[in-house]
Amino acid sequence: MSERGRLIVLSGPSGVGKGTVLARYLAGRERIKVSVSATTRAPRAGETDGVHYYYLTREQFEEKISSGGMLEWAQYNNQYYGTPRAPVEEALREGVDVVLEIEVQGGLQVKRAFPDAAMIFILPPSFQVLRQRLVGRGTEDGQSVEKRLRAAVEELRRAQEYDFLLVNDRIEDTVRELEAAVEAAHTITRRQQSLLTEVLQDAQTDSVTD
Ligand code: 5GP
């Protein structure tokens, strides 16, 4: 049987530069895919249905939740966001790594369901830099920037629950750290699993277990 794909959860406040870091990380890599989320928020200029998100109505989204079609979901900025379950499970089964670029409430649901997921949170160098990046992006009006900053504080409060906190200061450094974090997360888990198998085999030889 081929090895299962690795699940990578990438979180961080809106405006921290997750998308840029991820694009660099993916460049030249094979057997890895980014899950396309579903959301009820309206598409931004330049976004395409099925590429950036699947844009659903609230009714469609709620139907997906109740039929068990979401791997995780959360409400953020009064909108639903969630990861469609089937494509992720299929990719992992086929040995393809899957990246979920999601906010923390959803990330922590994934951690509970997939304890060996690589949980990575990206921090801004400072709160001021985060504000500047959000304003500079120009995709949000002033009110929405403030809302996103408030949500950012909520996210930062829960960042401790992630395994790796990376600071996105110099992009090349952040990408390198992301590579190291993914490898570390999975090496550690793999080692534990093979050690566990070994210990159990020893126990059997030792005839402790009957
Ligand atoms: P945006 O509206 O800026 O595209 O996304 C807002 C937030 O929702 C970001 O933090 C993004 O990572 C998060 N998000 C995107 N897709 C999902 C998802 O499928 N599940 C969860 N829980 N959060 C998501």
Side-chain angles (χ1 to χ4, degrees):
M1 206 180 77
S2 70
E3 204 171 325
R4 270 175 71 81
R6 307 179 297 183
L7 192 56
I8 301 162
V9 175
L10 189 64
S11 298
S14 181
V16 80
K18 287 176 302 231
T20 317
V21 171
L22 183 55
R24 292 276 195 98
Y25 176 75
L26 294 174
R29 241 166 246 279
E30 285 167 13
R31 298 193 69 70
I32 185 161
K33 65 176 268 183
V34 182
S35 156
V36 178
S37 296
T39 184
T40 55
R41 85 146 161 74
R44 294 194 187 116
E47 287 184 347
T48 309
D49 189 29
V51 176
H52 296 91
Y53 283 102
Y54 295 106
Y55 300 96
L56 305 183
T57 63
R58 293 188 83 82
E59 291 69 32
Q60 288 169 325
F61 201 106
E62 285 167 0
E63 162 55 31
K64 267 267 211 197
I65 296 173
S66 46
S67 64
M70 290 295 181
L71 189 74
E72 61 72 35
W73 62 274
Q75 295 222 39
Y76 179 95
N77 234 344
N78 297 323
Q79 301 293 341
Y80 282 119
Y81 291 84
T83 304
R85 180 187 298 279
V88 174
E89 292 189 337
E90 190 185 316
L92 294 177
R93 259 199 315 275
E94 288 171 357
V96 173
D97 293 349
V98 181
V99 181
L100 307 183
E101 187 195 327
I102 62 181
E103 55 68 66
V104 285
Q105 304 165 67
L108 296 173
Q109 289 170 42
V110 175
K111 188 179 179 180
R112 281 193 291 276
F114 296 82
D116 61 348
M119 301 294 301
I120 297 161
F121 191 96
I122 303 196
L123 291 170
S126 71
F127 196 72
Q128 286 71 19
V129 169
L130 186 66
R131 177 183 283 280
Q132 283 158 15
R133 287 185 189 163
L134 264 181
V135 172
R137 188 159 85 173
T139 53
E140 316 291 332
D141 59 28
Q143 220 184 3
S144 179
V145 167
E146 294 310 315
K147 252 186 170 170
R148 278 173 185 267
L149 283 173
R150 274 198 295 278
V153 174
E154 282 310 308
E155 298 240 334
L156 292 165
R157 287 206 175 106
R158 304 197 67 183
Q160 260 91 312
E161 296 175 62
Y162 277 62
D163 302 325
F164 298 90
L165 304 183
L166 313 184
V167 182
N168 190 19
D169 198 351
R170 277 169 35 101
I171 180 97
E172 309 79 54
D173 294 342
T174 319
V175 173
R176 245 194 322 272
E177 288 166 12
L178 175 58
E179 285 166 354
V182 171
E183 290 308 318
H186 293 102
T187 308
I188 290 165
T189 311
R190 265 205 305 274
R191 283 220 193 105
Q192 285 169 346
Q193 274 164 355
S194 52
L195 176 63
L196 179 59
T197 313
E198 228 173 88
V199 171
L200 285 173
Q201 275 165 356
D202 286 351
Q204 219 160 23
T205 320
D206 198 61
S207 71
V208 173
T209 51
D210 285 317

